[in-house]
Amino acid sequence: MNEPIPVTRDVDHGTAKLMPDVDRERAWLLTVDGAPQSYVDLDEPTHLEFEYTRRLGHVLDTLAEPGRPLDVLHLGGGAFTLPRYVAATRPGSRQDVVEADRGLLELVTEHLPLPEGAGVTVHAADARGWLEAAPDGSADVIVADVFGGSRVPAHLTSVAYAREAERVLRADGVYLANLADAAPFTFLRAQLATFGSVFKELALIAEPAVLRGRRFGNAVLVAAHHPVDTVAVTRLVASDAFPARLEHGAALREFIGGARPVRDEDAVPSPEPPDGAFGIG
């Protein structure tokens, strides 16, 4: 049997690499310009290697009764880790994946094809442009995991963008986003203020060391018009190999402090990660 070999290709927004995992037979790591983007196990789509994807998966698991199909819009494609997870855990779900990098889409669909009947439709488009054209009330969940290089693009951080997300979600829908920041959390606090100006309920999931300002890291934003199951999510994220904490209510309002919602004209990308924050050796 042939050993899988790494694949390197110039895509629209950098150099992408697919690297096989020596410990898992059909598992692959996708990087773009050295920054890890996705990890996929083709034989075990429910295996979520990255901590932040597990946290997103935990929230997805609690949004409806187990196995119930959902309509999910993924902004940012990567190697389709979470679309594969939802297709496996909630068969019959209808999912759209929007990825601006057409070259990256071609690389992933060629080497890591989605299974037959996965119910996933892939679109080469800008995330906000696609969102603005999407029908009202057409999604149960929006998962935003969009990075231009290692930064969230500015046009996906404003109140106008958050209002489009709310419009596309059903009344009981949930918006999830992977964000990244470090103390003093200027970007993260502003994002919470922005989505808090549009949605009634907010929660934030991150490692305690990140929340205490000890290091740069990922944080998962949860926004909805109804309370999410914070007890269940707290239990799930606390039981991970790298435990995380869920903040909501008064503690989260205190974290947000005096941060103001972001207008389109003031929007900036998320901060550049420090050297080595997410790199692969």
Side-chain angles (χ1 to χ4, degrees):
M1 180 173 163
N2 293 332
E3 289 293 319
I5 58 172
V7 179
T8 301
R9 186 180 297 178
D10 288 335
V11 293
D12 297 8
H13 300 127
T15 300
K17 288 185 180 181
L18 284 172
M19 293 181 284
D21 185 337
V22 295
D23 296 321
R24 300 177 75 93
E25 189 175 329
R26 296 181 71 225
W28 296 82
L29 173 69
L30 168 68
T31 68
V32 178
D33 290 341
Q37 297 287 326
S38 299
Y39 180 101
V40 169
D41 187 329
L42 298 178
D43 290 333
E44 194 179 341
T46 57
H47 175 77
L48 301 177
E49 180 76 10
F50 294 170
E51 287 90 358
Y52 85 84
T53 58
R54 284 203 298 278
R55 290 163 197 157
L56 288 166
H58 290 324
V59 179
L60 287 166
D61 288 345
T62 65
L63 293 186
E65 54 272 22
R68 194 190 100 189
L70 296 172
D71 293 339
V72 186
L73 172 58
H74 301 266
L75 303 178
F80 315 144
T81 304
L82 282 170
R84 297 173 202 268
Y85 180 83
V86 172
T89 58
R90 298 179 178 275
S93 293
R94 292 184 302 179
Q95 302 186 79
D96 288 287
V97 179
V98 181
E99 170 58 58
D101 194 319
R102 189 179 296 272
L104 184 61
L105 280 181
E106 291 171 354
L107 173 69
V108 171
T109 53
E110 178 184 340
H111 290 277
L112 308 175
L114 287 158
E116 285 291 321
V120 179
T121 306
V122 179
H123 313 272
D126 172 74
R128 180 156 167 183
W130 177 270
L131 192 66
E132 289 171 348
D136 294 1
S138 55
D140 296 309
V141 189
I142 295 173
V143 180
D145 188 11
V146 184
F147 283 78
S150 299
R151 307 175 76 183
V152 178
H155 69 303
L156 305 183
T157 67
S158 68
V159 172
Y161 163 76
R163 285 182 181 142
E164 287 297 321
E166 182 206 28
R167 179 188 63 77
V168 171
L169 284 168
R170 297 185 175 122
D172 60 350
V174 177
Y175 177 88
L176 303 174
N178 174 35
L179 305 173
D181 202 2
F185 301 114
T186 304
F187 175 77
L188 191 54
R189 293 178 203 269
Q191 285 306 283
L192 288 161
T194 297
F195 281 84
S197 73
V198 175
F199 291 91
K200 295 176 184 174
E201 299 283 340
L202 291 180
L204 186 72
I205 306 165
E207 280 186 45
V210 172
L211 291 172
R212 291 190 195 109
R214 292 181 181 168
R215 65 176 184 81
F216 189 95
N218 295 93
V220 170
L221 166 69
V222 185
H225 282 310
H226 60 90
V228 297
D229 191 342
T230 54
V231 173
V233 176
T234 296
R235 186 178 66 249
L236 289 166
V237 300
S239 66
D240 271 341
F242 293 91
R245 204 166 76 212
L246 181 145
E247 297 285 5
H248 68 108
L252 195 56
R253 288 192 291 274
E254 184 177 339
F255 180 83
I256 295 168
R260 307 295 300 166
V262 177
R263 302 179 302 169
D264 267 339
E265 53 267 39
D266 304 323
V268 296
S270 64
E272 190 77 49
D275 286 347
F278 298 132
I280 296 292

